[in-house]
Amino acid sequence: MTEQDRVTVNEPRGPVNNGEGHQYVFYGGADWMIRKGVESLRITREDRVRLADRFVPPVGYRIAADRLEKPGSVVLLKGPPGSGRRAAAIMLLHGFGEDRGTDEEGVRFEELPVTGKDENPLVPGMRDRFLLDLSGIADEETYREAHRRLAARRSQVQEAEAHMVVVLPSGMEHAHPPDLESHTVGLGRPRGIAVVTRYLRMDRMPFRPADLGSADLQHLCDRSPMRELARLAGLVRDARDSGRFGADFAGWLDQAIHAVTDRAGEVGRQVATIRAAPERALLLATAMFEEARADVVYQSWRGLLKTVRYEEEVTTELGRTDFGERLVGLGVERGPDGRLRFERLAYGDAVRTYFWANFPGVRDDLRDWIGHAAGLPDLTTDDRMNVVVRFSERALATGRPDHLFDLVARWANRGTGAPCDPRAVAALELGLGHERFGGWFRKRMYECVVRSGSLPEGLARVLTTACVQSLSGTHPDQAVVRLHYLAVRKGEAAHQAREALLDLVGRDRRLYRLLIDRLRDRTLREPHGTDPHLQLLTALLRSDLAPDPPPWPDLFLGWEAVFSQPPTELWNPLVSSWLNAVAGDSARKKALDVMVRATRGHTAALHRLYAIAYGWAGTARHPSRAAVAALFWQHIDHMQYGRTERTEAGPRTAEEAR
């Protein structure tokens, strides 16, 4: 696949637009990270269901679940790092049942931001579920500020009879407010062997309980964090699926144990024996592009040497050690399909970890190298995604989210022939799903969309796609805020953001109300007929975009803001859409009364509604239209004159209507 090839969609599970307009799902849908073995901290329904299949409750879980049953309950979880606190919090909230989606007051499952100013006020609904993960806090000042915000949120959750689980940081017990002690539940570490067993069974691994009795495995199960045990089980699966490490469970498990215990030391010893820059560069290039074809690895290797400003040898290539011999010397195999892989399981991961940890001075160069190499023309889509995932993991592990976002912007604006660069979207989604830096990426997105001046079209498309595919599932309010800012900009990307925003809020009554409130505030603050906020509000209030059944109080407030502006051509499609809706469904005739009352009796607005209905009724000589227009005129007369004597024929002329 070339750089210009379009990316196809396989088994989409994220938000999908089934009608007209742009498609925002890319590269296999929302579960691509699971297939790539990426540990995600997302809390979407698909992620929770997958976690529930593999979850082993820690000690104290039942106590926390019993306390959370009470409406308005707030439960705080404490426990040692690696005990599965966050997973337990997600499962506690998930235990209340499935989301009701677009039902009349759909239950929320949302993670609250830890720091920073809330972009929208928290307005919980009954049975809503909230996660607040404070486990990443490392200083007392931030922890105290988080508790001040927690006090306000706790009061709101209790009043609304919602539910919230808070994950407390380790090592901050001395700063824990005494008044919250009665709401705190201590979690103990689950049995490690039970965790490994559960993951292996979900991967349909053929084994007997006796196969898990080795002392090495028991040592790992007793000491390793839960996520490391999950990784161990995943490596067993990888060993089986590769077909290169025998055909029995004992061999796969042995390879996996060696991978998590010995690889770091092995890489360190190998690099210590390799002093030449070309060999070290080839080792790293192979680790980054493992499973790609040999020619691609060769190109990426030469690109890395150029990026780090290595001076080539004077002799020609024919006089140097050949490429294949270099690979053999590094322990790299070339398979029958021409693809390169290390002889040992998970060795590439250990190589990447070693170089990023021990060569900090070249991290900027590595970013620039990957920025170019991820676009090599002979890479397949899978190859590209592998490179994006591997670079993202290292950049975030070494505390450089800015390096990852640099590449998001670079790839987004470079253009690949596709409407939205999948590398950029994948990198941004990885950042948004990261335990430590997810908030950093949400803030960075916000800074991009609110800043004055132009925003590159490519980056705007990537931000829009990330809002729809990732942020809307974990932080829907923040997705609405960012899409709102993107939608009122100029350009084709703004049009796409507007479509995405209207589709998102049209499926959730709470988000629909939130957007109406935001647009009303800006429209009334700076009234102007060409204001993009007013144009967006007018489009939002059309009948075809309103939730079903229509939220009349919300529509009233929105119509009131629109009709308070000088009459414009924006009114015609809005009013006509509801006249059409009433003509097609008499159950919606309440729209006529609500719309008229939203004018607050302003004569100019009422005359404008008269004229629109007159023109609408005259475009098609049909009894149903005449009846709807007559009823609409009656409401208008009643508002203006306090009477309903006008005949069903309505105004005699368009001039009279005006």
Side-chain angles (χ1 to χ4, degrees), residues 185-432:
V185 176
L187 296 182
R189 177 187 171 83
R191 292 180 62 241
I193 197 67
V195 174
V196 172
T197 299
R198 188 69 174 263
Y199 272 81
L200 292 174
R201 285 176 175 166
M202 291 307 301
D203 287 331
R204 296 182 173 86
M205 197 65 62
F207 70 97
R208 299 166 299 175
D211 295 331
L212 305 179
S214 72
D216 289 340
L217 177 60
Q218 191 60 53
H219 179 78
L220 289 172
C221 289
D222 290 342
R223 299 174 182 272
S224 298
M226 294 301 105
R227 67 185 57 185
E228 287 300 316
L229 295 182
R231 177 173 178 263
L232 173 68
L235 289 172
V236 176
R237 181 194 62 233
D238 292 345
R240 176 196 64 184
D241 295 346
S242 71
R244 298 188 295 124
F245 301 104
D248 64 282
F249 177 79
W252 304 329
L253 179 61
D254 183 64
Q255 286 290 329
I257 291 175
H258 280 294
V260 300
T261 57
D262 301 335
R263 293 296 180 256
E266 292 172 357
V267 170
R269 290 188 291 272
Q270 181 181 25
V271 175
T273 63
I274 301 173
R275 293 299 177 182
E279 273 65 32
R280 286 185 172 182
L282 180 55
L283 183 66
L284 178 56
T286 305
M288 288 299 298
F289 289 83
E290 188 175 11
E291 297 295 340
R293 297 184 63 84
D295 286 356
V296 173
V297 177
Y298 178 85
Q299 294 175 57
S300 70
W301 170 49
R302 304 305 297 177
L304 175 56
L305 289 173
K306 182 178 180 180
T307 303
V308 298
R309 296 165 293 280
Y310 173 73
E311 295 185 5
E312 293 283 353
E313 301 175 24
V314 178
T315 57
T316 66
E317 185 167 355
L318 289 175
R320 306 172 202 161
T321 304
D322 69 62
F323 186 55
E325 187 178 347
R326 292 179 190 266
L327 293 174
V328 172
L330 295 174
V332 179
E333 298 176 342
R334 190 191 315 229
D337 55 0
R339 298 183 177 275
L340 301 185
R341 56 186 65 89
F342 287 101
E343 297 171 352
R344 286 165 282 189
L345 180 68
Y347 197 78
D349 182 47
V351 169
R352 297 188 295 271
T353 300
Y354 183 89
F355 274 92
W356 254 268
N358 294 287
F359 294 90
V362 299
R363 289 176 188 162
D364 288 353
D365 289 334
L366 296 180
R367 172 202 58 198
D368 296 339
W369 167 55
I370 292 299
H372 172 75
L376 289 173
D378 292 331
L379 288 170
T380 67
T381 300
D382 268 347
D383 292 336
R384 272 188 243 282
M385 289 302 112
N386 285 335
V387 172
V388 172
V389 169
R390 290 163 184 169
F391 176 81
S392 301
E393 289 175 342
R394 291 301 94 218
L396 296 175
T398 52
R400 296 306 303 265
D402 55 315
H403 276 186
L404 185 55
F405 197 86
D406 285 348
L407 292 191
V408 170
R410 188 179 308 182
W411 289 329
N413 298 326
R414 186 171 292 171
T416 62
C420 191
D421 193 298
R423 299 169 302 175
V425 178
L428 185 51
E429 286 196 332
L430 288 164
L432 289 170

Side-chain angles (χ1 to χ4, degrees), residues 614-637:
Y614 183 88
W616 174 80
T619 57
R621 299 295 181 181
H622 194 280
S624 64
R625 285 204 169 195
V628 171
L631 181 59
F632 195 35
W633 291 326
Q634 288 179 15
H635 286 298
I636 294 173
D637 281 350

